[in-house]
Amino acid sequence: MARKLNRGGARGGASAGRRRGLRLLALVALVAMIGGAWGWWTMRHWQPSRAAFPVQGVEVGSDDGVVDFTAVKAIGAEFAYVDASASAFARDPAVVTNLDAARAAGLQVGALHRYDPCQPADKQAANFVTVVPRDALMLPPAVELDQLADNCLVKVGDAAVESELMTFLNQIETHTDKPAILKIGTGFEAKYHVAGALDRPLWLTRDWMQPDYGGRPWALWTANSAHSTSASDRPLRWVVVQR
């Protein structure tokens, strides 16, 4: 009888140990879940410190929905780059609305063109200057360089990409009377190495960590590409200036 009781006690002790282990695992999982949620919330709302980067702003386009630029200014933005045109014919449907609303809110404004290496430079420049007014108060034009020429219907060599890009830059800079800012993606830079070849200010992108792929100091940095704010029901691209 004593042996039976001992075996029962051992089984009871083992069961209690398993229950404690399961409770501990559940607690660890809960802590990890809470930590993950806190980290996700923090990253979504993160922006670099004002002490390090006093001048901060946003990039916006029609994909961001309706943006309250008064709220954008209230949360610390001083400027807004507005997606304006892309390739040879495309135009952002919200460009005029966004430019006017950002100005009305007291923000400095600039316009961005998404460059397409498959399309002729002069047609792309004509598209940009048709959309973007000649205004001395606007910020320098920005050119997004992200799309590669790998899938062009007509083959475009690397040298031709740089040559056509220079033609495009010269034409829009004549229109705006300001040197363009090159917003270069990592893939574009890795293939064409334009950051070192073209003497223009750089705009680089990397969430939460300062980018270094340009090989020289950058002027603008998209520090949080999905910044959750009260200014829009969709995340915004948060940009800072290095001085």
Side-chain angles (χ1 to χ4, degrees):
M1 178 65 71
R3 284 195 296 271
K4 290 182 181 179
L5 288 174
N6 287 340
R7 285 198 296 272
R11 286 197 297 269
S15 297
R18 283 196 295 271
R19 286 194 296 271
R20 285 194 296 271
L22 290 173
R23 285 197 293 269
L24 179 60
L25 288 174
L27 179 61
V28 170
L30 179 61
V31 170
M33 184 173 65
I34 293 172
W38 179 85
W40 176 86
W41 189 94
T42 300
M43 292 297 98
R44 293 273 286 183
H45 292 79
W46 179 85
Q47 59 191 59
S49 73
R50 296 283 168 177
F53 302 101
V55 180
Q56 305 194 13
V58 294
E59 180 190 347
V60 297
S62 58
D63 289 345
D64 299 306
V66 177
V67 178
D68 182 346
F69 286 97
T70 301
V72 169
K73 185 173 177 64
I75 60 176
E78 296 184 29
F79 65 88
Y81 264 95
V82 173
D83 295 342
S85 56
S87 192
F89 306 105
R91 299 171 185 178
D92 192 287
V95 56
V96 174
T97 299
N98 282 338
L99 283 173
D100 290 346
R103 282 195 187 99
L107 298 169
Q108 289 187 283
V109 297
L112 178 140
H113 176 85
R114 292 179 179 170
Y115 188 78
D116 180 355
C118 301
Q119 292 292 328
D122 56 349
K123 290 185 177 180
Q124 295 195 64
N127 186 25
F128 179 84
V129 303
T130 300
V131 175
V132 179
R134 177 175 287 178
D135 184 345
L137 296 179
M138 288 187 69
L139 296 170
V143 182
E144 183 173 280
L145 303 172
D146 194 51
Q147 181 179 335
L148 306 182
D150 295 354
N151 298 317
C152 296
L153 295 178
V154 177
K155 182 176 175 58
V156 180
D158 293 359
V161 170
E162 184 177 332
S163 175
E164 282 289 288
L165 177 57
M166 276 303 306
T167 298
F168 172 80
L169 293 175
N170 288 335
Q171 291 186 17
I172 68 166
E173 288 171 348
T174 298
H175 174 72
T176 60
D177 198 29
K178 296 180 177 72
I181 297 172
L182 305 181
K183 184 186 179 188
I184 306 176
T186 54
F188 196 95
E189 175 59 20
K191 184 170 179 63
Y192 302 115
H193 309 290
V194 295
L198 303 180
D199 186 18
R200 301 293 192 284
L202 299 183
W203 177 348
L204 305 182
T205 298
R206 179 180 291 166
D207 284 340
W208 314 310
M209 296 179 63
Q210 292 191 39
D212 57 6
Y213 60 88
R216 59 184 175 90
W218 47 265
L220 280 79
W221 164 34
T222 301
N224 191 342
S225 61
H227 185 34
S228 182
T229 73
S230 60
S232 175
D233 59 359
R234 303 179 191 178
L236 299 179
R237 290 158 286 178
W238 197 259
V239 185
V240 302
V241 176
Q242 181 165 247
R243 291 184 171 180

